[in-house]
Amino acid sequence: MFIAYRLALRDVVFFQNYQFDHSPESVRTRRLATWGGAAIIVALLGVMAIITQSWPLFLMGVVLAGVYVFVFPQLLRANIRRMTNRMYAGQLNVLGRRELEITDEGLVARTEEEESVVPWETMDDVTVLDRYLFIYLGARAAHIVPRDTVMDGDFVEFTGALRRRLGARRRASPADPPVIS
């Protein structure tokens, strides 16, 4: 089974934002930074309010912390977009035409410059969305297949074949953690 598609910068940005929203590590870190930052703001202005005996200063700290809790995640999301654009700006070999092929050895990935084989046992997870297929090769790396840019092959058939192949591997080694989400 084979699929060819075109990967664009917007697809990589979408993946990074998806990870930002759904990765347990990212959610945990974002929650800690958001609520920890708000707690520090309230604590600092609370101490200052006690020292100066100015309760409006404490109230200002509570309001500032509330604004921080709302604005900080939005700033992080904008930073993801900006950093992804900057990181991939000169790396056109990562973007463009890509091919994936399901073989007995693993998933063969081809670009115009290189070809590699990802053995089945090294694949962590597969996530299928309406517009994307993410084939995880680790916690932070994935093959990103955008449905709307498939040039050769069938998105649904490829996804089904990939799931069947990974399902067969799962049945052969039941001690591993689940593959398909």
Side-chain angles (χ1 to χ4, degrees):
M1 180 63 54
F2 167 86
I3 195 167
Y5 58 96
R6 186 160 303 283
L7 185 65
L9 187 56
R10 68 181 169 87
D11 303 317
V12 178
V13 170
F14 180 88
F15 173 73
Q16 295 293 352
N17 281 322
Y18 181 84
Q19 285 295 95
F20 177 76
D21 291 335
H22 296 91
S23 163
E25 178 183 316
S26 176
V27 169
R28 187 172 38 256
T29 301
R30 186 173 66 250
R31 190 175 296 140
L32 178 64
T34 301
W35 293 105
I40 289 171
I41 291 169
V42 169
L44 287 175
L45 288 174
V47 168
M48 289 172 60
I50 290 171
I51 291 171
T52 62
Q53 294 184 351
S54 171
W55 297 113
L57 185 61
F58 178 71
L59 183 59
M60 186 176 81
V62 171
V63 170
L64 187 60
V67 169
Y68 176 84
V69 165
F70 177 73
V71 171
F72 183 68
Q74 306 306 319
L75 293 174
L76 284 177
R77 183 173 297 285
N79 191 47
I80 287 171
R81 190 177 320 109
R82 187 176 51 82
M83 293 302 290
T84 302
N85 285 333
R86 185 180 299 163
M87 185 168 59
Y88 286 93
Q91 301 198 11
L92 297 178
N93 61 334
V94 175
L95 305 174
R97 182 182 168 89
R98 304 182 67 77
E99 298 175 358
L100 295 175
E101 183 178 0
I102 297 171
T103 67
D104 290 337
E105 294 78 34
L107 188 66
V108 177
R110 293 184 195 94
T111 66
E112 294 173 359
E113 290 86 23
E114 65 183 7
E115 178 175 313
S116 62
V117 178
V118 180
W120 294 112
E121 57 273 3
T122 64
M123 286 185 221
D124 284 354
D125 197 7
V126 171
T127 298
V128 182
L129 306 174
D130 287 340
R131 294 177 29 224
Y132 288 95
L133 167 65
F134 301 137
I135 306 166
Y136 287 92
L137 310 176
R140 297 179 186 183
H143 285 293
I144 305 165
V145 182
R147 179 189 291 246
D148 60 345
T149 65
V150 171
M151 299 179 290
D152 195 7
D154 184 87
F155 183 88
V156 174
E157 287 180 19
F158 183 83
T159 300
L162 183 63
R163 284 186 161 193
R164 283 189 300 278
R165 178 67 181 160
L166 289 172
R169 179 182 73 88
R170 304 305 307 155
R171 287 188 292 281
S173 55
D176 293 337
V179 170
I180 299 175
S181 64

